[in-house]
């Protein structure tokens, strides 16, 4: 009963994560829009254009074929590293499942279970490398087929060690592997793909972490209430009117503080570049897999001994994953890489679907080669929001993100993030501007950019901001620098 209650509570937390993340993102988008429309002072003057800026020698374009070959090599190494990072903890889960079940221990059995868990490395790889959905799905099916073939081959080769001859019937292990993967991963992957939806993936991990803390409050509170009723003082406290909510009332403040401290810790770690947005989402996905597995096993194996064993193996399987993944990502980028080149992305504001599609196809891939700069707006908030933004929004300090004076612009340009992230990719530098500061900001970004891409779809006579940007591009940039 306790395992079933935990299972349903965990499922409800996941389902609540989707609307909560959407609500937070909607509120944040409205706050950004309000800040953009606020003109507190007269527009800041823009320095007149003189001669078009020449690109810096250190960031001049290299051989495109060399860059593409380097990108293919990095992607292969990230794929192999992600498989390794999931394979080791997957072996722990497989050993635990075989030990708790009635299935005999065999190399093929352990490898089949570990391979099924290990296959989640493919969507993780897709997030870490901005791989399109259909290409990632094709890669996932190919990976599952390769793992099924490996498991089938091992099951055939191990037969002589058990004193048996190989049989043709063992080839049925190929389709059974797909059945096993579907049985173990169908719900975690559905929930993971839901929380990884592009519209909410920047907020979903944070919302999930907070809801997980509060979601465990009621059962813990009920346990504390039961403990209180076993003592004379506690029984009097419960009888005073708190009844079965006594434990939760006592836990409400600590749980709130824990959730708040966790959000601040995430924001600090993100600002210190100890992890990226993609890594945070990948860690959340693996947590979903491990927690779902642990809750399922607790429901199927009552008793204190299985409980302690499940908790120990599950905790180990989760805790060793982040350092393994970080190590694999560092190894993927060892050796010389192309010099970083900054991309400035300009577009017609207001077309959310079109802007997000452009961002996914162009900016996300560019992050392998250099930072991306852009003027922040609601049409791309879902792709650029990070834990630091959410913390400032929760504190009511979102106004500190806006450029309101030339001093703010100088400070932001001086601290422009041009170093690669913990996952090897560069970050998106989005600039929140008032109506009085966006022109001087976009000109400053043009001067610093190595390449400029401008999407003019939807450009009309009412979009005078694009006309201003086009004039500045013509006056300040060399022709080969803009497209």
């Amino acid at each position: 009963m306790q395992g079933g209650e935990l299972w349903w509570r965990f499922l409800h937390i996941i389902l609540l994560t989707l609307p909560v993340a959407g609500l937070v993102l909607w509120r944040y988008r409205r706050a950004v829009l309000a800040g953009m429309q606020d003109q507190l002072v007269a527009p800041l003057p823009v320095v007149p254009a003189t001669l078009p800026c020449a690109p810096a020698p250190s960031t001049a374009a290299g051989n495109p074929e060399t860059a593409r070959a380097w990108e293919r090599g990095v992607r292969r190494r990230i794929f192999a590293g992600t498989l390794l990072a999931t394979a080791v903890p997957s072996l722990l889960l497989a050993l635990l499942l075989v030990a708790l079940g009635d299935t005999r221990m065999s190399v093929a059995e352990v490898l089949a279970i570990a391979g099924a868990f290990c296959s989640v490395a493919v969507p993780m790889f897709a997030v870490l490398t901005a791989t399109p959905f259909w290409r990632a799905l094709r890669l996932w099916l190919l990976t599952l087929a390769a793992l099924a073939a490996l498991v089938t081959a091992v099951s055939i080769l191990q037969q002589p060690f058990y004193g048996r001859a190989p049989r043709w019937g063992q080839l049925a292990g190929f389709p059974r592997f797909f059945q096993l993967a579907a049985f173990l991963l169908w719900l975690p992957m559905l929930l993971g793909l839901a929380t990884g939806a592009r519209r909410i993936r920047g907020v979903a991990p944070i919302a999930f972490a907070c809801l997980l803390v509060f979601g465990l409050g009621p059962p813990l509170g009920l346990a504390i209430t039961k403990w209180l009723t076993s003592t004379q003082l506690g029984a009097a406290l419960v009888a005073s009117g708190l009844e079965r909510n006594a434990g939760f009332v006592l836990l409400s403040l600590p749980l709130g503080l824990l959730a708040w401290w966790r959000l601040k810790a995430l924001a600090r770690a993100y600002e210190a570049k100890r992890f990226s947005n993609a890594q945070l989402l990948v860690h959340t996905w693996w947590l979903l897999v491990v927690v779902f597995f642990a809750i399922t096993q607790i429901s199927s194996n009552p008793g204190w001994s299985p409980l302690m064993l499940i908790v120990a193996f599950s905790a180990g399987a989760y805790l060793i994953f982040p350092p393994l993944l970080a190590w694999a990502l560092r190894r993927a980028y060892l050796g010389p890489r192309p010099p970083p080149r900054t991309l400035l992305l300009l577009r017609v504001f207001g077309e959310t679907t079109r802007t997000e599609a452009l961002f996914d196809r162009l900016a996300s891939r560019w992050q392998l080669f250099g930072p991306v700069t852009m003027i922040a707006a609601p049409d791309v908030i879902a792709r650029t929001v990070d834990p630091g933004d959410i913390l400032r929004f929760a504190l009511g300090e979102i106004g500190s993100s806006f450029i309101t004076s030339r001093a703010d612009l100088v400070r932001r340009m001086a601290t422009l993030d041009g170093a690669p992230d913990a996952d090897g990719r560069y970050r998106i530098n989005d600039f929140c501007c008032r109506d009085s500061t966006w022109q001087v900001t976009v000109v400053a970004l043009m001067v610093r950019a190595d390449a400029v891409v401008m999407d003019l779809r939807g450009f009309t006579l009412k979009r005078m901001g694009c006309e201003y940007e086009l004039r500045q591009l013509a006056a300040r940039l060399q022709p080969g620098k803009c497209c």
Side-chain angles (χ1 to χ4, degrees):
M1 177 64 68
Q2 292 179 353
E5 181 183 357
L6 286 175
W7 193 93
W8 280 108
R9 193 170 295 277
F10 178 70
L11 179 60
H12 292 159
I13 289 172
I14 296 296
L15 296 178
L16 280 175
T17 298
L18 305 182
V20 169
L23 177 62
V24 172
L25 189 62
W26 174 72
R27 292 292 301 166
Y28 181 75
R29 182 182 284 113
R30 286 179 61 88
V32 171
L33 180 60
M36 291 174 57
Q37 296 173 342
D38 189 6
Q39 183 170 345
L40 301 179
V41 296
L44 295 182
V46 178
V47 178
T50 53
L51 294 175
C53 300
S58 60
T59 59
N63 187 349
E65 289 299 327
T66 303
R68 281 194 287 268
W70 173 84
E71 181 185 8
R72 289 192 295 268
V74 167
R75 288 178 177 273
R76 286 194 295 267
R77 290 191 292 272
I78 292 177
F79 181 72
T82 308
L83 278 176
L84 175 63
T86 53
V88 176
S90 294
L91 282 174
L92 288 178
L93 299 181
L95 290 172
L96 175 61
L97 188 58
V98 172
L100 292 175
D102 298 329
T103 308
R104 61 182 175 85
M105 180 77 69
S106 69
V107 176
E109 185 68 24
V110 173
L111 185 61
I113 299 172
F117 283 119
C118 183
S119 66
V120 301
V122 178
M124 294 178 180
F125 161 79
V127 170
L128 291 168
T129 57
T131 301
F133 174 79
W134 293 111
R135 189 180 302 173
L137 181 60
R138 184 170 63 249
L139 178 61
W140 197 1
L141 294 176
L142 291 174
T143 302
L144 285 172
L147 290 172
L150 176 63
V151 170
T152 304
V154 171
S155 67
I156 295 174
L157 294 175
Q158 74 177 5
Q159 293 304 308
F161 295 95
Y162 292 97
R164 296 188 295 268
R167 304 183 308 275
W168 285 105
Q170 291 178 286
L171 295 177
F174 187 88
R176 280 201 297 267
F177 176 82
F178 287 88
Q179 295 174 353
L180 176 64
F183 173 75
L184 294 175
L185 298 175
W186 70 272
L187 185 57
M189 292 314 303
L190 283 178
L191 299 176
L193 291 175
T195 58
R198 292 182 182 273
R199 286 288 176 91
I200 62 170
R201 67 169 52 170
V203 183
I206 300 173
F208 171 72
C210 295
L211 288 173
L212 187 62
V213 172
F214 286 111
L216 295 178
L220 289 176
L222 184 59
I224 291 177
T225 303
K226 292 180 179 179
W227 173 78
L228 286 173
T229 56
S230 64
T231 63
Q232 184 176 2
L233 179 61
L237 180 63
V238 173
S240 65
L242 293 176
E243 298 180 353
R244 62 181 298 171
N245 296 321
F248 184 69
V249 171
L250 295 175
L251 279 179
S252 58
L253 181 58
L255 285 175
L257 289 175
L258 177 61
W260 183 247
W261 289 339
R262 183 56 183 161
L263 176 58
K264 294 178 68 174
L266 280 174
R268 288 195 300 268
Y270 181 81
E271 295 295 338
K273 302 179 79 71
R274 289 199 288 270
F275 67 86
S276 67
N277 268 347
Q279 284 176 290
L280 180 60
L281 181 61
V282 166
H283 295 168
T284 303
W285 279 354
W286 186 246
L287 178 63
L288 287 174
V289 173
V290 173
V291 172
F292 175 76
F293 169 80
I295 291 176
T296 302
Q297 295 308 308
I298 290 173
S299 303
S300 306
N301 300 275
W304 280 105
S305 296
L307 176 63
M308 300 304 294
L309 191 64
I310 293 168
V311 170
F313 272 76
S314 301
Y318 175 72
L319 293 176
I320 65 176
F321 173 73
L324 277 175
L325 180 64
W327 174 82
L329 292 175
R330 287 195 300 269
R331 297 287 300 177
Y333 287 91
L334 288 180
R337 65 185 299 174
R341 306 184 71 233
T342 301
L343 170 69
L344 172 60
L345 186 61
L346 303 174
R347 77 279 187 196
V348 177
F349 286 177
E351 299 291 342
T352 301
T353 302
R354 189 168 58 207
T355 301
E356 289 177 344
L358 173 69
F359 186 92
D360 295 335
R361 295 183 60 183
L362 180 62
S364 296
R365 185 176 178 185
W366 188 281
Q367 288 180 265
L368 287 172
F369 299 95
V372 178
T373 58
M374 61 195 316
I375 300 296
D379 58 354
V380 78
I381 285 295
R383 300 299 195 269
T384 60
V385 65
D386 58 57
D389 297 330
I390 298 300
L391 178 62
R392 285 188 289 270
F393 175 65
L395 289 171
E397 298 177 353
I398 192 173
S400 62
S401 303
F402 281 82
I403 296 176
T404 59
S405 64
R406 189 171 295 277
D408 288 341
L409 177 60
V410 171
R411 176 181 55 81
R412 282 294 307 276
M413 299 302 294
T415 58
L416 194 66
D417 191 353
D421 220 328
D423 63 356
R425 301 170 72 216
Y426 294 85
R427 287 190 176 179
I428 304 293
N429 295 275
D430 54 328
F431 288 72
C432 295
C433 301
R434 306 288 188 188
D435 192 47
S436 57
T437 58
W438 74 269
Q439 293 181 342
V440 67
T441 301
V442 76
V443 168
L445 294 177
M446 289 177 186
V447 173
R448 293 179 63 102
D450 298 297
V452 181
V453 172
M454 188 170 188
D455 183 5
L456 288 172
R457 291 174 296 176
F459 178 49
T460 64
L461 293 176
K462 297 180 180 180
R463 308 287 187 176
M464 301 308 294
C466 289
E467 180 184 1
Y468 175 81
E469 292 171 344
L470 287 170
R471 292 182 183 277
Q472 294 297 324
L473 288 173
R476 298 176 185 273
L477 269 67
Q478 295 199 359
K481 204 174 179 181
C482 183
C483 61

